[in-house]
Amino acid sequence: MRAEVHQVADGAFLVHGNHVNWVILKDGDAVTLVDTGYPGDREGVLESLAAVGSSPEAVAAVLITHAHNDHLGSAEYLRATHGTPVHLHPAEVPHARREFLQQATIGDVVRNAWRPGVVSWARHVLQVGGTDHNPVTAPEPFPGEGPLDLPGRPVPVHTPGHTDGHCVYHLPEAGIVISGDALVSGHATSRVEGPQILLDFFHHERAGVVESLEVIGALDGDTLLPGHGPVHRGSVRAAAEQARDRAS
């Protein structure tokens, strides 16, 4: 599967990989890469950088919403090969090093195999390296607070629940929220479209996910770039409220 690159604003691109998304923020020749897909998405990541006129060498930093394998896929490759710093929330740094794992287990998948789409999703996960041991050797916490001095000037916002250190990234001037897995617009295991949270077994703490929707809803924006599903246009507050209603 080739990566699909969609420009959503000046210098902002949402890329669809193997049932997961990443985001490229471009400023001149330099880019910020937010998430990196599955390990099996590496070719797609490189193709998407080329498609926006960039390259791995031009990636100023990789920002990770959370350290699940479908978002961490090529982070260590970029760090080890090109010296690219990999930044996460401090609570997510040991998760990226795989000192622990807050991720759906094989048992979780087996117990939920009766749900539509779960078996085919699990088969796909195996094919693209979703169960690989894929740590980042030297992840780093964010360099300071507030807008990061990186292309796009993203602002990390802590939204725990899916994992302890999950973060969304807010681009206030562009009205964009990069929401990771705290708020999605679709998933291979979902039978609804539009703003929603993932099935319960994907979350480390479901109650935290629901609480974090209030944090996301307070961010000013009209474009949502989720970790799964298409771009969502419209009030971010309304999207968060819709997801909260569906979760109740």
Side-chain angles (χ1 to χ4, degrees):
M1 175 181 176
R2 298 181 66 88
E4 298 179 9
V5 181
H6 300 272
Q7 183 167 5
V8 296
D10 288 344
F13 304 85
L14 180 67
V15 187
H16 300 308
N18 285 294
H19 296 311
V20 69
N21 302 330
W22 57 90
V23 175
I24 300 172
L25 305 176
K26 191 169 187 284
D27 184 0
D29 293 332
V31 301
T32 301
L33 182 60
V34 183
D35 288 342
T36 64
Y38 284 99
D41 279 305
R42 182 168 302 162
E43 183 177 349
V45 169
L46 300 179
E47 288 178 352
S48 66
L49 290 170
V52 304
S54 188
S55 66
E57 294 83 0
V59 179
V62 172
L63 302 180
I64 299 296
T65 57
H66 64 291
H68 285 167
N69 268 1
D70 56 335
H71 299 262
L72 203 64
S74 289
E76 175 63 11
Y77 164 78
L78 291 167
R79 190 205 66 79
T81 305
H82 300 286
T84 313
V86 178
H87 295 300
L88 311 89
H89 187 275
E92 201 72 359
V93 167
H95 192 194
R97 287 196 297 255
R98 289 298 181 257
E99 295 177 16
F100 55 84
L101 189 60
Q102 295 178 343
Q103 188 164 293
T105 65
I106 293 175
D108 291 327
V109 174
V110 170
R111 284 189 292 273
N112 286 274
W114 60 273
R115 297 181 182 275
V118 168
V119 171
S120 59
W121 166 82
R123 186 182 303 115
H124 170 80
V125 167
L126 292 172
Q127 292 171 344
V128 294
T131 59
D132 292 356
H133 181 63
N134 188 43
V136 178
T137 304
E140 304 172 34
F142 301 123
E145 298 183 359
L148 300 177
D149 188 18
L150 293 169
R153 302 281 292 169
V155 181
V157 180
H158 190 205
T159 49
H162 187 63
T163 65
D164 287 345
H166 188 289
C167 273
V168 305
Y169 296 96
H170 187 205
L171 281 61
E173 293 184 6
I176 291 173
V177 175
I178 303 168
S179 59
D181 284 6
L183 174 57
V184 302
S185 62
H187 192 265
T189 62
S190 175
R191 291 300 170 264
V192 298
E193 298 178 354
Q196 60 191 282
I197 65 172
L198 295 170
L199 293 175
D200 290 357
F201 77 92
F202 287 116
H203 303 303
H204 179 63
E205 185 186 11
R206 182 186 187 276
V209 176
V210 175
E211 290 176 8
S212 286
L213 290 173
E214 289 193 21
V215 176
I216 297 171
L219 301 175
D220 187 27
D222 58 10
T223 303
L224 189 74
L225 305 184
H228 303 273
V231 59
H232 179 79
R233 303 282 189 179
S235 163
V236 170
R237 178 182 295 276
E241 290 174 352
Q242 182 177 356
R244 190 180 183 93
D245 289 344
R246 282 175 161 173
S248 62

